[in-house]
Amino acid sequence: MVTIDLTSSQRAILTALVNGYQGEESPVPAKTIAATIDREPRTVRNQMSSLNSLGLVEGVPGPHGGYEPTDAAYDILDRQPVDDPETAVLAREFDRVDAVVDDITFTNVHHPELCRARIRFQESVQSLGEGDAIAIGAMPHVDLLIAGEIEAVEPSRNRILLDVARLEATGASSDAHDSPVNTPD
């Protein structure tokens, strides 16, 4: 696999493109991407030219055109295209949101007072902020509840670092081996 180093701007644009495309499965206009990441559409189009030459995006001309991510875009972002995503319930400040959890990695489960979880979503985490108290539960194939306070948000990677205050297995699951929950080696 060839490694491509993206700038933070390119990564943010590519992430916004993949997020938008996952939601609609149609080309995403530069204007939509620009609004998502608070940049000018001209800046997005200029970066898309570079991303196209790297084989990460394809331009779709026409009135309903825009950009589509390639398989290489998903690879560079370490994501998988999701055809039929299953959602988990995410609660923040008493608001319930259905979110697609892509991956959960516990960074130090051997120390209960310092348990952290790195959680990657299939959609933007820009609305989440440091210090937000959240709970994630009712995930398909995994009867797991995770609750805590967000320590860090990485919007360009759709990832948060959660200081876990509560981790509870709510019941046994027959598909536990298919779960998105990982622990470090």
Side-chain angles (χ1 to χ4, degrees):
M1 176 199 273
V2 176
T3 303
I4 302 172
D5 289 327
L6 298 177
T7 66
S8 60
S9 179
Q10 289 172 323
R11 183 172 287 282
I13 289 168
L14 195 58
T15 299
L17 170 63
V18 168
N19 291 345
Y21 188 77
Q22 288 267 136
E24 300 296 323
E25 290 193 27
S26 62
V28 182
K31 189 166 103 175
T32 302
I33 296 168
T36 301
I37 62 171
D38 196 27
R39 298 252 173 39
E40 292 294 321
R42 180 178 61 240
T43 302
V44 170
R45 282 190 285 278
N46 288 338
Q47 289 293 339
M48 285 299 186
S49 177
S50 297
L51 293 170
N52 183 291
S53 67
L54 293 169
L56 300 175
V57 302
E58 293 176 353
V60 178
H64 299 289
Y67 299 94
E68 293 181 344
T70 64
D71 290 340
Y74 286 94
D75 289 343
I76 198 120
L77 294 175
D78 193 27
R79 291 181 55 182
Q80 300 289 324
V82 179
D83 293 330
D84 190 20
E86 297 188 40
T87 59
V89 175
L90 167 66
R92 183 186 112 213
E93 305 296 325
F94 301 105
D95 291 330
R96 176 188 163 137
V97 178
D98 288 332
V100 178
V101 175
D102 193 30
D103 185 63
I104 300 173
T105 304
F106 293 96
T107 60
N108 53 355
V109 293
H110 301 295
H111 198 294
E113 285 91 37
L114 297 175
C115 185
R116 304 285 185 275
R118 185 167 284 115
I119 304 168
R120 186 174 58 200
F121 295 90
Q122 282 287 329
E123 54 267 319
S124 175
V125 295
Q126 287 184 324
S127 64
L128 301 176
E130 291 180 16
D132 286 352
I134 67 167
I136 301 169
M139 291 182 281
H141 307 297
V142 180
D143 295 325
L144 184 67
L145 170 69
I146 302 172
E149 185 174 301
I150 296 175
E151 284 194 347
V153 178
E154 297 178 67
S156 67
R157 297 183 188 272
N158 288 346
R159 204 163 60 177
I160 63 168
L161 181 63
L162 186 69
D163 180 4
V164 178
R166 182 174 179 189
L167 178 61
E168 179 180 316
T170 58
S173 173
S174 61
D175 293 332
H177 64 280
D178 293 331
S179 75
V181 179
N182 300 313
T183 55
D185 293 330

